[in-house]
Amino acid sequence: MTALADFAITHKWPPRNPDAIQLYSLATPNGVKVSIMLEECGLPYDAHLVDFATSDQMSPEFLSLNPNNKIPAILDPNGPGGKPLALFESGAILVYLAEKAGKFLPDANRYEVIQWLMFQMGGLGPMFGQLGFFHTFAGKEIEDPRPKERYRAEAERLLKVLEGRLEGRDWVAGDYSIADMAIAPWLRTLRDFYKAGDITGYDTLKNVPAYLEQFLSRPAVQRGLLVPGRG
Ligand SMILES: N[C@@H](CCC(=O)N[C@@H](CS)C(=O)NCC(=O)O)C(=O)O
């Protein structure tokens, strides 16, 4: 039997409860997707802080689980066939947890949910992230206006797609699902952290802001947004 100790990541971040899912994360929009899902499902987990200030994501122990040096990542001691499963990429983790818990990815509209999950993974997240760089962080010192404008316009366009999709709908694909857990944290980051609500037209929308408020009112979301704490 494979023991968790066989995974080098557990040497840097020892499990407190070795029977629980081990989560390696930071409370960023990609990180909180997974802590929110774990809270929504009531699955037991140990949250470990991957601190970017000390480049934890570049440590050999973290890279042994995710060679792409990005959070979130998980190690489930009770994966398929009762064997441990190590997994990175937040979209893959959300699908895995939904199948494990039997929640938030119904058979009836499985591919519709996956479609909107991929809309976030391939579009909303990467484009908003680049806008954050050029509007809020180091990239704002770049004088050439084209990079920021490119990502601003793309963020505005994606928000309009979402606004249209949410017309007459509470959630993006049927009932509340992993697609919402992927999308909504990025809306919050765009509005509150990047402070890009005015330049992207977010502030003029109706459905998208109401959707985010509905998401943020969920107790499991409020708990998941704080994970992992600073210990
Ligand atoms: N596609 C990845 C993206 C993950 C990602 O970009 N994580 C960022 C934080 S939000 C990160 O770990 N950055 C650290 C680094 O690039 O060194 C996923 O969804 O899991």
Side-chain angles (χ1 to χ4, degrees):
M1 200 181 107
T2 321
L4 283 193
D6 293 343
F7 293 84
I9 198 162
T10 65
H11 305 166
K12 187 170 171 70
W13 290 277
R16 292 179 290 275
N17 175 4
D19 291 328
I21 293 171
Q22 306 295 304
L23 169 67
Y24 309 96
S25 193
L26 185 69
T28 71
N30 287 320
V32 299
K33 291 175 199 172
V34 174
S35 41
I36 288 170
M37 177 63 174
L38 288 162
E39 290 288 340
E40 291 283 10
C41 293
L43 288 167
Y45 67 100
D46 272 356
H48 304 282
L49 176 70
V50 179
D51 195 346
F52 292 173
T54 49
S55 296
D56 278 350
Q57 78 276 25
M58 306 305 283
S59 64
E61 293 90 346
F62 188 81
L63 292 172
S64 71
L65 198 158
N66 184 359
N68 194 34
N69 62 268
K70 305 239 180 238
I71 62 94
I74 64 165
L75 177 56
D76 183 356
N78 300 300
K83 296 192 188 124
L85 176 75
L87 207 56
F88 63 87
E89 280 296 328
S90 59
I93 297 170
L94 289 175
V95 171
Y96 172 67
L97 293 176
E99 289 181 347
K100 182 180 175 87
K103 289 180 177 166
F104 306 115
L105 180 56
D107 286 345
N109 68 336
R110 176 183 177 81
Y111 296 107
E112 184 190 22
V113 170
I114 289 177
Q115 167 184 273
W116 286 99
L117 173 65
M118 295 301 157
F119 167 81
Q120 185 283 311
M121 294 297 297
L124 206 95
M127 294 303 121
F128 284 15
Q130 295 303 324
L131 178 61
F133 177 80
F134 286 105
H135 178 61
T136 317
F137 303 117
K140 69 177 183 228
E141 281 148 30
I142 294 170
E143 285 176 17
D144 186 334
R146 285 171 293 183
K148 176 177 158 184
E149 176 51 23
R150 176 176 170 83
Y151 295 115
R152 189 211 60 76
E154 186 61 0
E156 182 176 43
R157 190 190 65 78
L158 288 161
L159 284 169
K160 278 194 193 134
V161 172
L162 191 59
E163 177 76 4
R165 174 65 185 180
L166 289 170
E167 187 64 38
R169 285 188 172 84
D170 285 341
W171 302 108
V172 78
D175 292 337
Y176 177 60
S177 73
I178 55 172
D180 302 299
M181 293 180 222
I183 291 169
W186 273 102
L187 300 172
R188 175 175 174 262
T189 292
L190 182 90
R191 185 191 69 178
D192 298 349
F193 193 42
Y194 299 163
K195 307 224 178 301
D198 51 352
I199 63 162
T200 55
Y202 177 96
D203 294 344
T204 66
L205 302 176
K206 171 177 64 93
N207 300 328
V208 172
Y211 168 76
L212 177 58
E213 291 312 323
Q214 180 183 224
F215 177 76
L216 294 175
S217 72
R218 295 180 69 90
V221 169
Q222 289 163 12
R223 291 194 300 275
L225 286 171
L226 302 175
V227 176
R230 291 230 142 228

